[in-house]
């Protein structure tokens, strides 16, 4: 159960033990919250998540550390609360992050129950205090937060000095003099960053070097197609001070040319050579261009970096835009440009957008939503030539013979792996040049790991089928698992894929792995822009997609993670109480 805060006027009592350094309120009655439930409450005018799990009460920040979603609207399962928006998970007792895409923990605490028996009125008061480790007191936003139950009323106290802080970076170590062990991370994306952080969280004391061809420190790449006029500084995941504090070296504008796994060295484009003891390869993928005449003309754009996003934004203002590709990124760009471009035309090789991922029904609904905003679609067609005048794109010629006027052409037809530098090495790649790893993110070469978009890996929820999934959250999970196994802390990848796409200000969320589904069970109506779709294979739910149906997709993700089968019959049932819908 997730719930909202009870009316404040019903609980106006204050704790007589409140001090000037703390703010204390009665937040609810003990009977308002059963085991396995949570609710949003107020202390002063600040929202707090109150949870009850295994007979213990706990209180923590209510905002997800990813994008600030209210966790009280999410899903609670055992000792875990899952965010309703993007699936990040937190431990309700410690506030620690348990699943991405969030990066930081919540205000955290440990609790102890003390029972006393008053002979005068035979009443038992239960006092639950927060007990803090010294390191947590120094870092936790709600340090000295406590929960107290007295006369069947639940009190929550929070420290006034740290009231407005919402995130907690987990305790981390730094390099230790004399530790002669180097871990080299190739790539500056989510997998490398999380790998570096987890290594330091586990107090690895050796040298960590992250090398990227990017000009920026690791940043939130999911934002590029959603807010295209973004300033680079606003999407950095960590500031330089963070890397310096924890002795994580970051080498920018440097590209690997080759790897020698016998000598344990990497050669870079500036002729430098770096040795390593362990290696993570997470160089990702790059956008695939069109193999047609005219691809080199000005104003033919592909989206890979914040600078690309800004250039596309500027180039498209008041112009005729043609967009090739109906993937998630392509549809997000079309949605973003609706009130900026003079016209938008989408070229797709399939009959409908998302046809091979979200299915025909949602693809048709997406096409309808964008068509209502005057986006034109030419489906079942491909580009055969790009024509220009004075070196700039002017027209796009299709196989069908249609000619589309274009001031700007944006190509979003997929990606190809950045793995050329591995050719000639002993590292095994598949037929598409992605790197194959096991459930520990290990390649076939001892000491060499791979993660992120470049990795083909066994997906636990799909019976360990080898897959390649280019999702932000999965790349983060790869980085964590690689780091733990580098330290011989054996850990298997078990994450359930979770991603989201933004269209016209609304978000479609998706969890699971729907490849090979044979039918869809739909709750709600696509035309109402409120639905939950269950993807069925062999009479079991293997994935779900939802729009304005929170926290349905997060509930499905949680069930898939636990391995508890969701049957077709359960998906078809009118009883959806297990989804913990708001």
């Amino acid at each position: 159960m997730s719930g909202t805060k009870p009316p404040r006027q019903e609980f106006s009592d204050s704790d007589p033990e409140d001090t000037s350094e703390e703010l204390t309120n009665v937040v609810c009655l003990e009977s308002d919250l059963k085991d396995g439930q949570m609710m949003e409450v107020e202390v002063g005018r600040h929202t707090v998540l109150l949870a009850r799990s295994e007979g213990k009460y706990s209180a923590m920040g209510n905002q997800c550390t990813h994008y600030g979603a209210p966790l009280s609207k999410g899903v609670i399962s055992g000792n875990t609360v899952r965010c309703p928006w993007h699936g990040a998970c937190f431990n309700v007792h410690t506030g620690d992050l348990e699943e991405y895409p969030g990066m930081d923990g919540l205000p955290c605490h440990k609790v102890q129950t003390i029972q006393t028996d008053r002979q005068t009125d035979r009443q038992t008061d239960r006092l639950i205090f927060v007990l803090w480790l010294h390191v947590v007191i120094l870092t936790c936003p709600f340090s000295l937060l406590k929960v107290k139950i007295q006369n069947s009323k639940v009190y929550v106290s929070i420290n006034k000095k740290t009231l407005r802080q919402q995130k907690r970076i987990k305790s981390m170590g730094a390099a230790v003099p004399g530790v002669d062990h180097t871990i080299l991370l190739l790539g500056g994306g989510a997998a490398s960053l999380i790998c570096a952080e987890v290594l330091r969280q586990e107090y690895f004391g050796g040298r960590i070097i992250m090398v990227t061809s990017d000009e920026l420190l690791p940043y939130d790449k999911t934002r590029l197609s959603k807010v295209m006029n973004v300033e680079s500084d606003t999407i950095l995941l960590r500031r330089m001070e963070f890397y310096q504090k924890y002795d994580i070296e970051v080498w920018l504008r440097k590209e690997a040319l080759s790897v020698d796994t016998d000598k344990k060295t990497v050669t870079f484009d500036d002729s430098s050579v770096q040795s390593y003891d362990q290696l993570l390869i997470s160089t990702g993928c790059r956008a695939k261009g069109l193999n047609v005449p005219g691809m080199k003309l000005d104003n033919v754009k592909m989206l890979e970096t914040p600078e690309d996003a800004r250039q596309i934004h500027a180039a498209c203002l008041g112009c005729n835009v043609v967009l090739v590709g109906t993937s998630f990124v392509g549809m997000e760009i079309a949605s973003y440009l609706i009130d900026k471009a003079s016209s938008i035309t989408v070229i797709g090789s399939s009959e409908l957008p998302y046809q091979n991922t979200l299915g025909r029904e949602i693809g048709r609904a997406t096409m309808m939503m964008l068509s209502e905003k005057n986006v034109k679609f030419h489906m079942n067609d491909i580009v055969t030539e790009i024509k220009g005048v004075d070196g700039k794109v002017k027209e796009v010629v299709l196989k069908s013979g249609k000619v589309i006027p274009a001031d700007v052409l944006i190509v979003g037809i997929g990606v190809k792996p950045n793995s050329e530098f591995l050719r000639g090495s002993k590292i095994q790649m598949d037929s598409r040049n992605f790197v194959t790893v096991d459930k520990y993110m290990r390649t076939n070469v001892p000491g060499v790991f791979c993660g992120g978009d470049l990795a083909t890996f066994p997906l636990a929820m799909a019976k360990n089928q080898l897959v390649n999934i280019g999702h932000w959250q999965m790349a983060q999970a790869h980085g964590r698992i690689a780091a733990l196994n580098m330290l011989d802390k054996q850990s298997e990848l078990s994450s359930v894929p979770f991603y989201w796409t933004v269209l016209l200000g609304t978000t479609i969320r998706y969890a699971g792995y729907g490849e090979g589904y044979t039918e869809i069970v739909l709750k709600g109506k696509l035309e109402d822009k409120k639905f939950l779709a269950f993807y069925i294979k062999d009479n079991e739910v293997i994935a779900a997609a939802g729009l304005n149906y929170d926290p349905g997709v997060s509930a499905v993700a949680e069930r898939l993670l636990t391995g508890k089968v969701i049957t077709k019959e359960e998906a078809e049932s009118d009883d959806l109480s297990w989804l913990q819908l708001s």
Side-chain angles (χ1 to χ4, degrees):
M1 169 210 168
S2 57
T4 57
K5 55 184 179 293
R8 292 178 68 239
Q9 64 269 21
E10 292 184 14
F11 306 107
S12 58
D13 300 24
S14 62
D15 187 344
E17 298 178 7
D18 192 15
T19 70
S20 61
E21 293 184 356
E22 291 182 347
L23 185 61
T24 301
N25 275 143
V26 179
V27 295
C28 68
L29 297 176
E30 186 180 0
S31 58
D32 289 335
L33 205 60
K34 295 181 174 61
D35 204 69
Q37 295 182 344
M38 62 181 176
M39 66 194 306
E40 176 188 321
V41 298
E42 277 193 6
V43 180
R45 295 190 177 276
H46 301 274
T47 60
V48 172
L49 182 68
L50 183 68
R52 190 174 181 179
S53 175
E54 296 180 347
K56 300 177 182 178
Y57 285 87
S58 57
M60 65 200 75
N62 190 39
Q63 288 185 294
C64 178
T65 61
H66 181 226
Y67 284 172
L71 294 173
S72 58
K73 300 290 186 182
V75 175
I76 186 169
S77 175
N79 295 327
T80 299
V81 57
R82 184 181 283 265
C83 173
W85 290 359
H86 308 121
C89 294
F90 304 88
N91 185 290
V92 297
H93 295 310
T94 67
D96 285 345
L97 180 73
E98 294 186 341
E99 181 59 276
Y100 305 97
M103 292 180 61
D104 298 313
L106 293 165
C108 58
H109 55 270
K110 293 184 177 182
V111 297
Q112 180 182 21
T113 302
I114 304 172
Q115 295 186 341
T116 61
D117 185 17
R118 294 182 183 169
Q119 296 298 326
T120 55
D121 55 9
R122 297 181 181 177
Q123 180 177 327
T124 299
D125 287 355
R126 285 175 295 161
L127 189 60
I128 305 178
F129 288 107
V130 176
L131 302 179
W132 293 87
L133 296 174
H134 179 63
V135 68
V136 174
I137 293 176
L138 294 177
T139 60
C140 180
F142 279 12
S143 59
L144 301 182
L145 183 155
K146 63 184 178 185
V147 183
K148 169 181 172 181
I149 302 171
Q150 190 171 34
N151 298 329
S152 297
K153 296 176 183 177
V154 180
Y155 294 79
V156 173
S157 301
I158 55 180
N159 189 299
K160 292 179 181 178
K161 294 180 181 179
T162 52
L163 198 58
R164 297 186 183 279
Q165 296 175 345
Q166 296 295 334
K167 298 181 179 181
R168 172 176 57 86
I169 294 178
K170 193 171 183 179
S171 177
M172 299 170 64
V176 176
V179 177
D180 184 21
H181 190 103
T182 297
I183 295 181
L184 184 61
L185 313 175
L186 298 182
S192 284
L193 175 56
I194 296 300
C195 183
E197 291 198 15
V198 172
L199 288 170
R200 289 299 189 224
Q201 288 168 4
E202 297 293 328
Y203 295 94
F204 168 70
R207 190 180 183 191
I208 300 175
I209 307 172
M210 184 190 306
V211 187
T212 173
S213 59
D214 289 336
E215 296 186 357
L216 291 175
L217 295 170
Y219 59 89
D220 186 350
K221 294 186 178 181
T222 68
R223 298 279 300 280
L224 297 185
S225 55
K226 300 173 177 67
V227 188
M228 302 191 72
N229 61 340
V230 65
E231 291 297 326
S232 299
D233 190 60
T234 66
I235 58 174
L236 294 181
L237 296 170
R238 302 291 192 200
R239 305 284 171 183
M240 179 55 78
E241 294 78 13
F242 174 90
Y243 300 99
Q244 292 171 342
K245 180 177 180 180
Y246 298 110
D247 293 325
I248 299 168
E249 298 177 49
V250 184
W251 297 353
L252 301 176
R253 296 177 290 275
K254 200 176 178 87
E255 186 173 350
L257 294 183
S258 63
V259 176
D260 187 326
T261 56
D262 291 329
K263 295 181 179 179
K264 290 192 172 183
T265 59
V266 176
T267 301
F268 295 96
D269 56 354
D270 60 359
S271 299
S272 63
V273 178
Q274 176 61 48
S275 61
Y276 65 84
D277 293 288
Q278 290 170 303
L279 176 68
L280 174 69
I281 302 168
S282 55
T283 47
C285 299
R286 62 188 183 277
K288 186 189 300 182
L290 291 168
N291 187 23
V292 299
M295 188 64 193
K296 298 293 185 180
L297 289 168
D298 285 349
N299 278 1
V300 175
K301 305 287 187 181
M302 294 191 291
L303 178 61
E304 294 185 303
T305 68
E307 180 59 27
D308 293 336
R310 289 190 292 269
Q311 287 185 11
I312 291 170
H313 169 89
C316 291
L317 295 177
C319 294
N320 297 313
V321 178
V322 174
L323 201 156
V324 184
T326 56
S327 65
F328 295 102
V329 170
M331 294 298 90
E332 285 185 344
I333 294 174
S335 173
Y336 173 81
L337 292 175
I338 280 173
D339 59 350
K340 300 172 183 67
S342 176
S343 69
I344 302 172
T345 302
V346 175
I347 313 299
S349 59
S350 58
E351 182 181 348
L352 295 163
Y354 309 147
Q355 187 166 317
N356 297 325
T357 50
L358 298 183
R360 298 179 60 84
E361 294 86 348
I362 295 177
R364 188 176 293 108
T366 299
M367 196 166 165
M368 179 186 70
M369 289 168 61
L370 293 175
S371 295
E372 289 173 353
K373 299 295 183 179
N374 298 316
V375 176
K376 299 180 179 65
F377 285 84
H378 293 274
M379 304 302 289
N380 288 323
D381 217 337
I382 60 173
V383 175
T384 57
E385 185 181 2
I386 307 166
K387 292 185 175 182
V389 174
D390 297 329
K392 292 185 177 181
V393 62
K394 193 66 177 177
E395 294 177 333
V396 177
V397 181
L398 305 185
K399 185 177 182 180
S400 62
K402 296 174 183 175
V403 179
I404 313 296
D407 301 310
V408 181
L409 175 66
I410 304 170
V411 179
I413 57 170
V415 297
K416 51 186 176 182
N418 293 322
S419 59
E420 288 85 354
F421 71 100
L422 297 176
R423 291 174 185 168
S425 76
K426 295 182 178 180
I427 298 168
Q428 181 181 333
M429 294 187 284
D430 63 18
S431 59
R432 299 182 303 146
N433 293 319
F434 290 86
V435 177
T436 305
V437 298
D438 62 14
K439 59 187 176 182
Y440 306 105
M441 307 313 298
R442 302 177 302 198
T443 68
N444 62 304
V445 178
V448 178
F449 299 74
C450 182
D453 297 0
L454 185 60
T456 295
F457 61 94
L459 184 63
M461 64 150 288
K463 300 176 182 177
N464 289 319
Q465 176 184 342
L466 285 176
V467 300
N468 173 254
I469 299 177
H471 299 337
W472 188 252
Q473 163 254 4
M474 288 304 296
Q476 292 174 298
H478 290 173
R480 177 179 180 273
I481 297 301
L484 293 174
N485 287 302
M486 285 176 175
L487 302 177
D488 292 326
K489 298 184 177 184
Q490 193 173 83
S491 185
E492 299 180 8
L493 182 69
S494 61
S495 295
V496 171
F498 197 114
Y499 66 85
W500 62 97
T501 187
V502 177
L503 292 174
L504 305 177
T506 61
T507 302
I508 297 175
R509 317 190 198 287
Y510 182 97
Y513 184 68
E515 184 177 282
Y517 76 89
T518 54
E519 60 181 309
I520 294 178
V521 172
L522 192 67
K523 300 294 181 181
K525 296 182 179 179
L526 295 171
E527 56 269 28
D528 293 340
K529 299 181 179 64
K530 182 176 181 178
F531 63 83
L532 181 65
F534 295 102
Y535 296 82
I536 310 295
K537 180 180 179 180
D538 298 330
N539 291 314
E540 295 180 6
V541 173
I542 58 172
L547 175 64
N548 293 321
Y549 223 92
D550 293 338
V553 174
S554 286
V556 172
E558 194 61 28
R559 280 282 295 268
L560 293 174
L561 180 65
T562 62
K564 187 177 180 182
V565 171
I566 307 170
T567 64
K568 177 184 175 183
E569 182 180 6
E570 192 173 2
E572 291 175 331
S573 172
D574 292 332
D575 180 11
L576 296 178
S577 58
W578 63 277
L579 290 174
Q580 301 183 37
L581 297 176
S582 301

